Amino acid sequence: MSSNVNIKLNKNIILAVTGGIAAYKSAVLVRRLKDYGFNVRVVMTKGAQAFITPLTFQALSSNPVHTTLLDPEAEAGMGHIELARWADLILVAPASCDVIAKFAQGLADDLLTTLYLATKAPVWIAPAMNQQMWAAKATQRNLKTLTEDGMHIIIPDAGEQACGDIGRGRMPEPEALAEQVFEYFKTQERAYTQQFGLLAGKKVTITAGPTREAIDPVRYISNHSTGKMGFALASVCYAAGADVTLIAGPVTLNTPYGVTRKNIVSAQQMLDESMYMLNQGCDIFIATAAVADYRVAEIAPHKIKKTGDTLDIALIKNPDIVATIAQQEKRPFMVGFAAETQNIEQYANGKLISKKLDMIACNDVSRTDIGFGADENAMTVFFAKKYDFDQRQLEKASKLKIGEQLVEAIVDALNTKS
Ligand code: PMT
């Protein structure tokens, strides 16, 4: 399952509240919209103020609430035209029968109806009313007009109503409304980055996290990788327009939004999935995983018993995933990582050459503030000789920021005619 939690969209939403009992849900809606990182300003009609006070919305949105068209003081703050331009989307929730009729008629006798005519932003309405009023011919005729005018109508839910009736007319829950708004902007942004992003049209495969090599049914060999670096890179590559697959060892992180995830346990499984992705078509392969170099020669079928003071376990070498992919005829652009504790330049360059990589990003894993498990990293990036690039120093920053700089380095190398 993808997580939206870490995605913040810097978009401006006007939430317009009209008169109806569902106005109480709009208070929660402000919170949910803000959870997604939206900037929210609230516009209230006179009818809405009979159900809930502007003060509630002011506190929740952290912005002044707009209630009138003809108040010189309010207009001096952010006038209706400015407000209409500020909005990336106007969401009217709840939208009463009355405001729907006014919109359909093109009336402009208060702030909200004026805003509707003055804005270029998409306008969505979430009608909420008694089921008979929803079904009324005039309401349906007005909604048809508004749909033809390009307005997005969110169909109300059916169920028990505040007035005791049962039928369609309930405003959808705030969580569902906020998610629809979020998905709308994400889809829009995706369409843009898929065309204009730094990695538009590229297929990227990323390995991340540790591998586990079983000793017996209860024990294994592994390492301290948490997957944070690889997951951050996956998120950055997706935001840059790439089609991203993350081959993840056992970690506890949520899948970054938009990224396809394949879970594996052992190095052999990571190699199998990597080869599969290569055959599916892969333009860039990034190996952030800390792969166990050795595995147990023979996994014990039962728990090994404590019989002596020492225990010898024979290990055999695991396949080198990144080197195997780099050897293939149709090889992608290959990015390796190097976890070192000393002689960073010498060891990283050695791996760059021996594994036939295009680029290698090296971090000092003897430090506790970066590398394994940390939220930040610092890296030195080396390029294969054919690119004729100097090494790059990426100063300590969040793994997301480091990921962005790595993507820039990849794009620079891809754009060089080598
Ligand atoms: O996951 P985090 O907690 O966020 O920590 C991030 C990290 C420290 C794991 C990451 O930044 C990192 O350094 N990853 C590489 C770890 C590593 O195994 O480095 P290495 O120097 O042993 O391997 C060199 C390269 O070969 C790596 O790209 C590795 O993925 C690859 N390799 C290694 C062995 C193997 N059998 N197959 C491989 O593909």
Side-chain angles (χ1 to χ4, degrees):
M1 211 181 91
S2 272
S3 162
N4 293 331
V5 175
N6 57 355
I7 305 201
K8 298 287 175 205
L9 291 167
N10 191 24
K11 296 285 179 189
N12 298 333
I13 311 289
I14 289 181
L15 173 63
V17 185
T18 71
I21 182 60
Y24 80 93
K25 288 188 185 175
S26 308
V28 182
L29 180 53
V30 174
R31 291 293 294 267
R32 297 292 85 88
L33 289 168
K34 284 186 66 98
D35 287 346
Y36 280 114
F38 294 120
N39 311 310
V40 182
R41 281 180 176 269
V42 177
V43 167
M44 296 181 80
T45 62
K46 217 169 158 198
Q49 293 169 64
F51 289 89
I52 187 164
T53 69
L55 201 59
T56 305
F57 288 113
Q58 182 177 311
L60 291 171
S61 68
S62 316
N63 276 316
V65 172
H66 307 265
T67 53
T68 55
L69 180 62
L70 303 173
D71 175 357
E73 208 177 301
E75 284 287 294
M78 191 184 258
H80 64 282
I81 297 294
E82 221 178 324
L83 202 53
R85 288 185 186 140
W86 177 84
D88 292 307
L89 186 140
I90 298 179
L91 171 62
V92 188
S96 65
C97 244
D98 181 57
V99 84
I100 290 170
K102 282 178 172 169
F103 284 154
Q105 291 292 310
L107 298 184
D109 64 351
D110 66 2
L111 177 60
L112 176 55
T113 47
T114 310
L115 268 181
Y116 172 56
L117 295 180
T119 193
K120 281 187 183 166
V123 179
W124 292 16
I125 60 168
M129 60 196 71
N130 165 269
Q131 50 90 22
Q132 197 57 52
M133 292 168 81
W134 167 255
K137 280 188 180 157
T139 307
Q140 291 304 315
R141 191 168 56 241
N142 289 334
L143 289 169
K144 186 167 177 281
T145 303
L146 291 175
T147 306
E148 285 163 6
D149 289 349
M151 186 182 266
H152 175 56
I153 319 282
I154 299 165
I155 304 298
D157 290 344
E160 196 175 335
Q161 302 201 289
C163 57
D165 278 10
I166 294 179
R168 193 166 296 283
R170 288 163 54 96
M171 185 171 111
E173 293 309 311
E175 288 73 18
L177 288 178
E179 194 177 342
Q180 276 192 47
V181 174
F182 173 79
E183 287 300 332
Y184 167 75
F185 283 112
K186 276 312 295 178
T187 309
Q188 244 194 7
E189 193 179 274
R190 182 68 180 154
Y192 181 84
T193 56
Q194 275 184 318
Q195 205 177 348
F196 301 110
L198 276 181
L199 295 178
K202 300 284 184 216
K203 289 185 174 174
V204 178
T205 299
I206 300 173
T207 66
T211 63
R212 272 184 197 168
E213 310 300 331
I215 298 172
D216 65 15
V218 296
R219 303 181 180 95
Y220 56 80
I221 300 170
S222 192
N223 58 65
H224 295 298
S225 173
T226 57
K228 285 182 183 174
M229 188 65 241
F231 278 55
L233 247 173
S235 175
V236 171
C237 289
Y238 176 81
D243 180 352
V244 185
T245 301
L246 187 56
I247 304 174
V251 294
T252 56
L253 302 176
N254 286 323
T255 309
Y257 184 85
V259 168
T260 304
R261 176 174 181 169
K262 293 178 174 233
N263 289 327
I264 55 87
V265 177
S266 67
Q268 186 58 50
Q269 289 169 350
M270 187 172 266
L271 175 62
D272 293 345
E273 284 296 352
S274 299
M275 287 302 289
Y276 177 80
M277 289 315 298
L278 183 74
N279 292 330
Q280 293 295 303
C282 172
D283 302 301
I284 301 166
F285 188 90
I286 309 176
T288 72
V291 184
D293 288 323
Y294 292 89
R295 68 177 184 276
V296 175
E298 269 186 52
I299 303 169
H302 300 289
K303 187 178 172 191
I304 299 171
K305 291 293 168 197
K306 231 187 312 176
T307 48
D309 288 342
T310 59
L311 175 67
D312 293 329
I313 298 175
L315 300 178
I316 52 171
K317 215 169 184 185
N318 262 331
D320 192 305
I321 297 162
V322 84
T324 309
I325 302 289
Q327 276 164 19
Q328 306 302 312
E329 202 185 329
K330 269 188 148 188
R331 59 173 256 152
F333 182 87
M334 296 297 303
V335 183
F337 269 55
E340 304 296 348
T341 54
Q342 57 175 342
N343 300 332
I344 284 181
E345 184 164 353
Q346 186 195 339
Y347 288 143
N349 270 316
K351 287 175 184 172
L352 182 70
I353 294 164
S354 67
K355 296 180 190 240
K356 296 192 168 46
L357 305 175
D358 292 287
M359 195 177 122
I360 195 159
C362 186
N363 45 196
D364 180 349
V365 285
S366 65
R367 286 169 60 176
T368 52
D369 59 329
I370 59 167
F372 284 121
D375 290 329
E376 294 185 311
N377 215 347
M379 310 209 84
T380 314
V381 182
F382 302 92
F383 299 88
K385 259 210 163 68
K386 60 183 177 182
Y387 296 104
D388 199 18
F389 282 165
D390 290 337
Q391 67 184 57
R392 285 187 196 180
Q393 200 60 48
L394 311 185
E395 300 303 335
K396 185 174 158 183
S398 71
K399 284 183 173 169
L400 272 175
K401 282 267 171 274
I402 294 288
E404 284 168 10
Q405 294 176 71
L406 287 172
V407 165
E408 280 168 20
I410 292 169
V411 171
D412 286 348
L414 280 172
N415 288 340
T416 339
K417 298 270 176 285
S418 57

